[in-house]
Amino acid sequence: MSGHERAPQAPDLIVPAALADGELEVLGALPDSSNAALLVRCHAGEEPLVAVYKPMRGETPLWDFPDGTLHRREVAAFALARALGWPRIPPTVLRDGPYGPGSVQLFVPFDPEHHFFTLEMEHADVFRRVALFDIAANNADRKGGHCLLDADGDVWMIDHGVCFAVEPKLRTVIWTFIDEPLPADAVADLARVHGELLAGDGVASTLGALLDPAEVKAVRDRIARLLAGGRFPEPEPGVRPYPWPPI
């Protein structure tokens, strides 16, 4: 799949019908995941799709995030990315599956030899927007391995279950752009989404169905600070700025 970074109706931001409504057939568990992550085939009238199903019941309890909310944060991350028009996050929906409610995200085939540290130079403009997204979403775990390269040369972002906390928790490998001016087109997208959050419509309604009201307000406030500052910020003082492991 491919599309345009800034087009909210781009093909890579549209939820396929099979993903939203198709019967889920479990194919197996994905290894090395801290929470249950199951590879599934989504059957509908069209050609089946492969997706990743993360059921709520398989979430590992965390001391700093409410229990049973990580799957909703995955869906909220896609909603915010779709509203902005970037970055590429595979279409992700909230639905009931074989093991109860959870997130279901389109599986994007990728080259396992690549990650942020191999891609950052060639795809700097993409990662500028990823950095802005992670600030807005307060991503507590942007590892290099969460950045995938597909067969078309497009870069995708996955694993957003620990986003949207109210307290500062940004931990990311992407600190390349500190003190750079924000790209003008990204500023326009951020301002548009901030307007929706202020008015309580558009993406505000979607996020409000997935997150706590204080968490939605915190997204609005973080975007407002980005717009007011006009530059990529430094890490928050007193907060560990890097994830572990980095890949």
Side-chain angles (χ1 to χ4, degrees), residues 9-200:
Q9 279 73 46
D12 53 11
L13 299 175
I14 294 173
V15 176
L19 191 76
D21 301 311
E23 180 185 353
L24 301 184
E25 173 194 1
V26 177
L27 302 177
L30 295 177
D32 303 323
S33 178
S34 56
N35 299 288
L38 305 175
L39 197 67
V40 297
R41 185 176 287 119
C42 307
H43 296 274
E46 57 197 83
E47 186 174 342
L49 300 175
V50 177
V52 177
Y53 165 47
K54 295 183 178 181
M56 178 179 68
R57 66 190 288 185
E59 294 176 6
T60 300
L62 301 174
W63 69 268
D64 54 349
F65 283 85
D67 290 350
T69 67
L70 303 190
H71 65 296
R72 290 179 170 270
R73 297 171 194 278
E74 293 271 10
V75 181
F78 172 67
L80 179 59
R82 182 165 57 176
L84 287 166
W86 44 262
R88 282 185 175 88
I89 292 177
T92 312
V93 297
L94 182 69
R95 54 173 299 185
D96 205 24
Y99 298 102
S103 63
V104 181
Q105 182 175 87
L106 182 70
F107 177 79
V108 174
F110 64 96
D111 184 343
E113 297 299 316
H114 286 286
H115 46 71
F116 169 71
F117 299 103
T118 69
L119 299 170
E120 60 176 319
M121 298 297 291
E122 185 177 352
H123 299 273
D125 283 343
V126 170
F127 287 118
R128 285 183 175 88
R129 285 154 182 78
V130 176
L132 293 174
F133 172 86
D134 285 343
I135 293 168
N138 198 16
N139 191 348
D141 192 37
R142 173 63 74 204
K143 293 182 172 71
H146 297 166
C147 310
L148 311 181
L149 183 70
D150 73 8
D152 294 325
D154 291 325
V155 179
W156 298 77
M157 304 297 124
I158 61 167
D159 284 350
H160 298 95
V162 288
C163 291
F164 299 109
V166 174
E167 302 83 5
K169 292 183 183 294
L170 181 62
R171 291 190 285 271
T172 175
V173 294
I174 309 175
W175 291 109
T176 313
F177 311 111
I178 289 175
D179 205 37
E180 277 192 14
L182 304 186
D185 55 351
V187 168
D189 293 331
L190 288 164
R192 172 176 46 78
V193 169
H194 184 257
E196 292 181 12
L197 293 169
L198 275 176

Side-chain angles (χ1 to χ4, degrees), residues 220-243:
R220 185 186 73 200
D221 292 346
R222 287 189 291 268
I223 292 176
R225 288 195 294 272
L226 273 172
L227 293 171
R231 292 180 175 273
F232 286 89
E234 296 181 353
E236 292 266 0
V239 177
R240 176 170 61 86
Y242 296 102

